[in-house]
Amino acid sequence: MPTKTSTETLLASITEDVRKKFEGEGTGHDWWHIKRVTQLAVRIGTEEGADATVVELAALLHDIDDWKFNGGDDEAGSRAAALLLKKHGADDALTETVCDIIDRVSFKGAGVKDDMPSLEGRCVQDADRLDALGAIGIARAFAYGGSKARPLYDPNVKPVLHATKKAYISSEGTTLNHFDEKLFLLKDRMHTATGKRFAEQRHARMKEFYDQFLNEWNGEV
Ligand code: ADP
Ligand code: NI
């Protein structure tokens, strides 16, 4: 049997720690989200010619101590990621590269521009966004809305395109409005050609659901 390389060992140890940490999480940021994003990121990264180790590590760690669950602390995630990477023997350069991606990955409102300079980060951000689209995206949106006791829809509450991260995180809309406020915007914010291609398909599926939801709301069969 060939022995595992240090990269394989690092990836296996981080995967195991992240799986343990996220198992049983119910807000749409559970282990399976991490696993789906990692799979997609690696697939996009392969097509785009990105560094596979950086892509896989950043995808595995992208939601660790997310700022949305940390009172808006932008860097809690990368601090937690750095500790894990160091614990499992990643060198400083790799740790820095991965942590920089983690700091930049999250969606912070319709009017807040993305800032993701590295190809690897772009692959991970595309994969994370793809998991907010399509059939899975619909399921996650309603699971999130349910966890916050939000109404499915209210025709009297109009969608808002948030100009700042602060306005975005403090907003109290309906779940259907989240489609206008974030989900339908994502296909035009994809970075890679591969991500764009996948997003078009998922966007169309989601739009069909949304239109049908409103038809049924208005009494159509
Ligand atoms: P990201 O991984 O881009 O940071 P979020 O943490 O913002 O994504 O969201 C996690 C999941 O919950 C996504 O599927 C997202 O669309 C959904 N979600 C976030 N905010 C809302 C909301 N206000 N209403 C419904 N779903 C939401
Ligand atoms: Ni995510």
Side-chain angles (χ1 to χ4, degrees):
M1 281 269 289
T3 54
K4 278 187 166 182
T5 65
S6 58
T7 305
E8 280 174 282
T9 309
L10 175 65
L11 284 166
S13 317
I14 298 271
T15 302
E16 198 43 31
D17 275 9
V18 172
R19 191 181 60 74
K20 278 195 216 124
K21 188 172 161 73
F22 281 89
E23 237 168 21
E25 225 275 4
T27 63
H29 270 123
D30 57 2
W31 160 245
W32 297 108
H33 164 65
I34 310 291
K35 187 162 168 74
R36 289 190 303 268
V37 170
T38 304
Q39 271 169 345
L40 266 180
V42 168
R43 185 167 166 194
I44 294 170
T46 306
E47 293 208 26
E48 299 288 327
D51 181 296
T53 307
V54 171
V55 167
E56 189 165 344
L57 285 173
L60 283 167
L61 292 165
H62 83 274
D63 272 335
I64 205 139
D65 286 307
D66 193 310
W67 55 265
K68 284 184 289 314
F69 310 105
N70 272 295
D73 178 353
D74 275 333
E75 283 166 16
S78 63
R79 279 199 305 274
L83 282 177
L84 263 188
L85 286 161
K86 292 247 163 74
K87 175 177 133 192
H88 293 298
D91 66 29
D92 288 351
L94 179 59
T95 301
E96 208 176 295
T97 305
V98 171
C99 288
D100 186 63
I101 294 173
I102 295 166
D103 278 337
R104 298 167 187 270
V105 79
S106 210
F107 182 85
K108 301 183 179 76
V112 185
K113 261 188 93 180
D114 293 321
D115 178 22
M116 188 60 95
S118 74
L119 171 62
E120 289 72 21
R122 289 165 176 257
C123 296
V124 174
Q125 195 166 48
D126 280 3
D128 192 28
R129 288 176 173 178
L130 281 164
D131 203 54
L133 300 182
I136 297 267
I138 295 167
R140 289 180 76 213
F142 286 97
Y144 182 100
S147 78
K148 303 261 179 200
R150 293 196 172 164
L152 304 178
Y153 175 59
D154 180 342
N156 297 317
V157 180
K158 299 297 168 208
V160 182
L161 294 179
H162 305 101
T164 64
K165 181 180 123 183
K166 192 158 170 257
Y168 177 65
I169 46 176
S170 57
S171 71
E172 299 230 348
T174 67
T175 299
L176 206 74
N177 282 357
H178 185 65
F179 287 69
D180 300 288
E181 292 168 356
K182 171 182 172 186
L183 305 181
F184 289 144
L185 310 176
L186 294 179
K187 85 171 167 42
D188 294 325
R189 292 174 70 147
M190 302 301 284
H191 302 291
T192 66
T194 312
K196 284 195 177 89
R197 212 172 67 233
F198 295 167
E200 297 281 348
Q201 298 176 37
R202 292 194 178 195
H203 180 96
R205 235 172 270 148
M206 214 167 49
K207 182 75 170 73
E208 197 184 332
F209 165 84
Y210 176 97
D211 291 342
Q212 200 52 40
F213 182 106
L214 290 175
N215 288 342
E216 292 176 17
W217 187 277
N218 292 315
E220 286 180 31
V221 177

